[in-house]
Amino acid sequence: MPRCVLFAGPSLPDAADLVRNSAVEVLPPVSAGDLPRLSLTAGDVVGIVDGYFHQIGAVRHKEILALLSEGVRVLGAASMGALRAAELDSFGMEGIGRIYADYRDGRLEADDEVTLLHSTPEEGHRPLSEPLVCMRATLSRAVEDGVCDSATADRLVTTLAGWPFGRRSYGSLGAAGKEAGIDTGTVRRVREYCVTHRLDPKRDDALLLLDALDRAGRGERSTPPTVPAVNRTSFLYLWQTAASGLDIGDSPHHGHLGALRACQLFADDYPRFHRKVVLQALAAACAEECGPIPPAADDAALAHIALRHGEHRGLYRFPADPARLGFLAHWLTGTERATLTLAEQLITFLVRSFRVNPGLTWEELSIEQLRDRPCWKDARHIVQLAWEVNDRVFTEHQERHVNDLSSEKILGLIAQRWGVARADLEPAAMDRGLESSDSLTMAARAFHLLARYNPELVRLEIEAGAG
């Protein structure tokens, strides 16, 4: 059975009770980064009703598109879900209910039509204001029931639409009527009607979505929408990386990306490991894009395949004309150009340009190969130690921050540790999967104090005990 997840809050505060005997999981209102953390697979279903947008970042369109491209159904209704569905239905997101249809067809335009102030989750998302879309519906019913005419209802809605969403409520109709120039008797009659005849189209639509999720959870199949391919941009990659706990950031002690950075910085044999990861990736790309190739029996065969793939991609031609290889000067040191064979120069170029040219998510490839090696546990321990040192130092000196550390001192320490001249530090960083001196500085900053004062604690070996 598919996994079914519902993001709900003030639009459906009793969602957990409603799904008690179903397979639907209820989560709080969705926010930026929540969707990549779900670890969903093709056939799973996500329903979005409520979502944050003010106090924390709103769910990003690209996060929804990424799920759709992976075969996950994404439904939206009532509130944030209706907004996103109206924006993304042409890309495969499925909108449900009247509010979605009104946004889709232009009858509703402002995002704050569905917005309200509410209490904390611990207090059951108790509403502290009224969504304008609900007030519209209730005032329309008041017109139908003869409580007021349509002109009065329209003037009230126009006035309320000009107010901040947190000020809107049926209790504030008196002030809205006064501002709109409506006589107090009419306003009092309308307010009394609305309080006792309140309509809630947001809840109605949320229940429709919940019913769709429940049917999906019972195995009821539907025709999947046609979903265009989604480009995995650098932004999407970073969001997914952060959601997967791969980042070191300003606080986590156990991020995978932090452990990778420790390996890149402190393992003397990391360049050899990184070179092999890159050549394997290029060989795999060649097999996929250019046709079947014989399996590589050793590193030399792997390098040969990668070289040929560079030719297939039009980076150079064999037999290579040195006059057409001036671009190598941007990637190699003068000593390397004078001493390396032409083939080895091209291999070095492929490895160093890997992030720029092939554009693959190399960090994931490296992490995948490192996680089962003994060095990975040691690398994670180094991350932990680095943050303990930073926390201690900058707690004692609160006027300073890790970002205040001198970039020149950081790079100088790394150059000394790697045994390279300061002028050759950037190519050496590229050999470890770091694309520039700036990237190296960012990677090394969090580890600088630990490496400077406790160099014996930051020693790693990638191939030790590797299978």
Side-chain angles (χ1 to χ4, degrees):
M1 290 295 181
R3 183 183 178 193
C4 297
V5 179
L6 171 66
F7 289 94
S11 299
L12 202 64
D14 55 344
D17 293 330
L18 293 172
V19 304
R20 184 160 293 155
N21 296 317
S22 76
V24 177
E25 305 171 41
V26 178
L27 297 176
V30 70
S31 61
D34 287 343
L35 296 183
R37 277 191 284 268
L38 290 177
S39 299
L40 299 171
T41 58
D44 291 339
V45 188
V46 172
I48 299 176
V49 170
D50 292 306
Y52 292 112
F53 75 97
H54 182 64
Q55 55 272 67
I56 47 181
V59 60
R60 304 176 182 99
H61 300 77
K62 199 75 171 184
E63 294 176 31
I64 296 173
L65 293 172
L67 284 188
L68 292 169
S69 70
E70 294 164 5
V72 176
R73 289 179 64 196
V74 184
L75 316 179
S79 192
M80 177 62 78
L83 287 166
R84 288 293 184 261
E87 295 159 341
L88 299 176
D89 54 4
S90 60
F91 297 94
M93 187 172 177
E94 302 170 52
I96 293 174
R98 168 184 165 184
I99 296 172
Y100 152 72
D102 284 347
Y103 274 120
R104 178 196 63 197
D105 298 337
R107 290 184 291 273
L108 292 177
E109 294 182 350
D111 290 0
D112 70 350
E113 287 272 353
V114 294
T115 307
L116 77 159
L117 288 181
H118 58 84
S119 65
T120 64
E122 292 74 20
E123 296 177 335
H125 295 107
R126 179 170 53 85
L128 304 176
S129 68
E130 188 73 9
L132 184 57
V133 71
C134 296
M135 300 187 78
R136 282 182 185 274
T138 305
L139 287 167
S140 293
R141 180 64 58 84
V143 173
E144 293 174 10
D145 289 349
V147 179
C148 66
D149 58 27
S150 60
T152 297
D154 289 344
R155 287 160 67 187
L156 286 170
V157 168
T158 299
T159 300
L160 291 165
W163 287 6
F165 67 84
R167 189 182 171 196
R168 300 167 186 160
S169 70
Y170 293 117
S172 66
L173 282 177
K178 183 177 181 180
E179 185 176 321
I182 303 169
D183 69 89
T184 56
T186 298
V187 174
R188 183 168 54 252
R189 187 169 63 251
V190 170
R191 183 177 64 233
E192 291 172 353
Y193 176 89
C194 290
V195 169
T196 57
H197 295 80
R198 177 181 180 270
L199 297 181
D200 191 353
K202 290 184 66 177
R203 180 177 177 83
D204 295 340
D205 287 359
L207 289 171
L208 291 175
L209 186 146
L210 181 56
D211 182 63
L213 271 181
D214 186 53
R215 293 198 308 273
R218 296 197 306 268
E220 184 175 313
R221 297 183 178 276
S222 64
T223 303
T226 301
V227 178
V230 175
N231 290 326
R232 195 176 188 222
T233 63
S234 59
F235 294 106
L236 178 59
Y237 168 60
L238 289 174
W239 299 332
Q240 291 172 330
T241 296
S244 301
L246 302 181
D247 61 326
I248 186 168
D250 287 330
S251 58
H253 300 292
H254 303 296
H256 294 329
L257 194 55
L260 174 62
R261 295 291 182 252
C263 292
Q264 290 173 292
L265 294 168
F266 305 123
D268 291 341
D269 57 346
Y270 194 88
R272 183 167 63 252
F273 166 79
H274 177 68
R275 172 184 169 116
K276 189 166 185 177
V277 169
V278 172
L279 297 183
Q280 287 173 338
L282 292 175
C286 190
E288 180 180 349
E289 299 170 15
C290 310
I293 58 174
D298 51 30
D299 289 353
L302 201 61
H304 177 75
I305 295 170
L307 272 176
R308 286 301 176 184
H309 191 54
E311 182 182 24
H312 298 162
R313 289 190 169 188
L315 302 178
Y316 43 77
R317 288 285 181 267
F318 288 123
D321 180 358
R324 292 179 173 270
L325 299 179
F327 63 88
L328 292 177
H330 298 291
W331 299 97
L332 278 69
T333 67
T335 300
E336 288 170 336
R337 295 194 69 193
T339 59
L340 296 180
T341 66
L342 186 55
E344 188 57 34
Q345 289 184 45
L346 291 173
I347 288 291
T348 302
F349 155 70
L350 291 174
V351 172
R352 290 177 180 172
S353 67
F354 182 59
R355 294 184 68 185
V356 178
N357 220 319
L360 300 174
T361 53
W362 67 271
E363 289 167 335
E364 293 171 303
L365 298 176
S366 299
I367 289 169
E368 187 67 24
Q369 293 198 31
L370 288 170
R371 288 175 65 174
D372 294 329
R373 299 182 185 224
C375 65
W376 192 247
K377 181 180 179 180
D378 296 335
R380 288 167 67 92
H381 182 60
I382 288 175
V383 174
Q384 178 75 34
L385 292 175
W387 280 109
E388 288 176 358
V389 169
N390 294 342
D391 287 345
R392 186 166 60 252
V393 169
F394 296 111
T395 298
E396 295 174 359
H397 304 279
Q398 295 187 9
E399 74 281 3
R400 301 191 62 197
H401 188 271
V402 67
N403 290 331
D404 297 329
L405 295 173
S406 165
S407 297
E408 281 304 312
K409 289 183 178 179
I410 291 171
L411 295 177
L413 182 64
I414 292 296
Q416 179 183 0
R417 186 176 186 91
W418 289 355
V420 299
R422 178 67 178 80
D424 294 337
L425 191 55
E426 188 160 282
M430 293 178 187
D431 288 339
R432 294 170 179 264
L434 297 162
E435 63 182 4
S436 66
S437 294
D438 288 341
S439 297
L440 174 58
T441 303
M442 291 175 62
R445 186 177 298 279
F447 299 97
H448 178 70
L449 295 179
L450 177 67
R452 179 180 178 183
Y453 295 109
N454 300 276
E456 73 283 356
L457 297 180
V458 290
R459 300 187 187 281
L460 290 169
E461 188 175 352
I462 301 298
E463 297 301 332

